[in-house]
Amino acid sequence: WRQRVSTYFGVKVTTSNPLTRYYQAATQNHPQGLVFTLVGLSMPRAAIYLGSDVGKAIMLDQYNSKPMAAQFVPPLVVGSAVLFINMPFVRARYWIQDPHTSERTVRQALVAMYGRGGWSNVLYGWFRNVYSALPKYTCAIAVRDYVDNLWITEREPLDRWSWYTRSAIKAGIASLAAAAMATP
């Protein structure tokens, strides 16, 4: 992602070795955007997964919802809200990585985006992001839950290492399913 953004904004990469090329692209220009971008990609996903689990539990326990609705409604609602809140910050983080921009902070980039086109410019890309990202998150959550139901037949407490291993395998399988859905 960093290499694509840097290439888009005109960073010159001078080597043919792929690892060296990636290193050059990742370390040139505005490294402050790197941390914000990584946090901005990780935290919304965590909020979507946690909100989906909490929403599913609430729908099943308190509202006696059908399992299919409880599986798919929370990721769609929570995911839409999280993506709506996060989209301006994603655009601002990419904005400050442009070597030709005068803005150096996320706040300055948000003000500049608003000044150039109002709220429509700040929220530009939200619908595309929702339509492309939400099905992947919903698929990943459904696959994760399905694998979890297949894996454990009796609910006995696991030791910490077994729990981490099981979580990593479930996440890997869910990620593969979401990636296959995104890139058929």
Side-chain angles (χ1 to χ4, degrees):
W1 63 266
R2 177 81 166 147
Q3 185 175 3
R4 282 182 287 165
V5 170
S6 297
T7 303
Y8 175 74
F9 289 123
V11 173
K12 301 293 184 213
V13 179
T14 58
T15 181
S16 62
N17 181 338
L19 292 175
T20 310
R21 216 175 32 221
Y22 180 78
Y23 175 77
Q24 282 182 349
T27 56
Q28 289 181 18
N29 298 319
H30 308 299
Q32 73 270 20
L34 179 66
V35 172
F36 290 115
T37 303
L38 291 175
V39 170
L41 292 172
S42 303
M43 295 307 292
R45 289 179 180 147
I48 290 169
Y49 290 131
L50 178 64
S52 297
D53 289 345
V54 170
K56 180 179 178 181
I58 289 171
M59 285 183 71
L60 290 174
D61 296 341
Q62 294 180 4
Y63 295 106
N64 201 18
S65 296
K66 297 189 185 248
M68 185 67 76
Q71 180 68 49
F72 291 107
V73 170
L76 294 175
V77 171
V78 173
S80 295
V82 166
L83 292 171
F84 180 80
I85 292 166
N86 193 49
M87 188 66 204
F89 297 105
V90 169
R91 291 202 61 228
R93 287 185 296 269
Y94 285 141
W95 188 294
I96 64 175
Q97 291 178 13
D98 180 357
H100 306 296
T101 188
S102 61
E103 292 82 14
R104 295 292 181 239
T105 65
V106 170
R107 182 182 177 284
Q108 290 173 346
L110 288 171
V111 169
M113 282 190 290
Y114 183 78
R116 292 185 186 172
W119 285 109
S120 63
N121 191 28
V122 173
L123 293 173
Y124 178 77
W126 178 72
F127 290 112
R128 182 189 56 80
N129 196 12
V130 166
Y131 291 129
S132 67
L134 231 79
K136 291 185 286 189
Y137 293 139
T138 305
C139 174
I141 291 166
V143 168
R144 180 200 62 191
D145 291 346
Y146 179 76
V147 169
D148 191 36
N149 290 335
L150 286 178
W151 189 315
I152 298 180
T153 54
E154 69 257 358
R155 298 287 178 179
E156 60 185 45
L158 297 173
D159 61 57
R160 185 172 289 224
W161 180 252
S162 298
W163 187 84
Y164 287 140
T165 304
R166 189 186 82 199
S167 293
I169 292 171
K170 286 190 314 185
I173 292 170
S175 296
L176 286 174
M181 182 180 176
T183 315

